[in-house]
Amino acid sequence: MAKTIVVKQIGSPIRRPAIQRQTLIGLGLNKMHKTRELEDTPAVRGMVAKIPHLVEIVEERG
């Protein structure tokens, strides 16, 4: 079974640069307090690292 992480959106994309909004959409997040379970890959970790003020890693599984 592959490792996964649960990512939660904690910040609003309003008045943020377009690239940060696109990163949120790329993670599958678009509304406050939504969570997604994503595969733990370097690409996903990099996306989370780009917007640490908008998302948090809630849980690591696997």
Side-chain angles (χ1 to χ4, degrees), residues 9 23-31 34-36 38 47:
Q9 182 177 344
T23 303
L24 272 177
I25 292 169
L27 289 170
L29 300 169
N30 61 352
K31 293 183 180 173
K34 293 281 186 175
T35 60
R36 285 288 312 263
L38 302 166
M47 292 170 80

Side-chain angles (χ1 to χ4, degrees), residues 3-49:
K3 285 187 167 185
T4 61
I5 56 174
V6 178
V7 180
K8 180 178 180 180
Q9 182 177 344
I10 58 169
S12 173
I14 295 173
R15 296 184 57 118
R16 299 287 181 192
I19 191 72
Q20 291 181 4
R21 280 184 257 130
Q22 291 167 355
T23 303
L24 272 177
I25 292 169
L27 289 170
L29 300 169
N30 61 352
K31 293 183 180 173
M32 292 288 293
H33 309 293
K34 293 281 186 175
T35 60
R36 285 288 312 263
E37 186 171 348
L38 302 166
E39 201 171 328
D40 190 5
T41 63
V44 171
R45 288 282 182 163
M47 292 170 80
V48 170

Side-chain angles (χ1 to χ4, degrees), residues 43-62:
V44 171
R45 288 282 182 163
M47 292 170 80
V48 170
K50 283 282 211 179
I51 52 171
H53 54 288
L54 298 178
V55 297
E56 69 177 1
I57 296 176
V58 178
E59 179 179 355
E60 297 183 24
R61 297 181 184 164

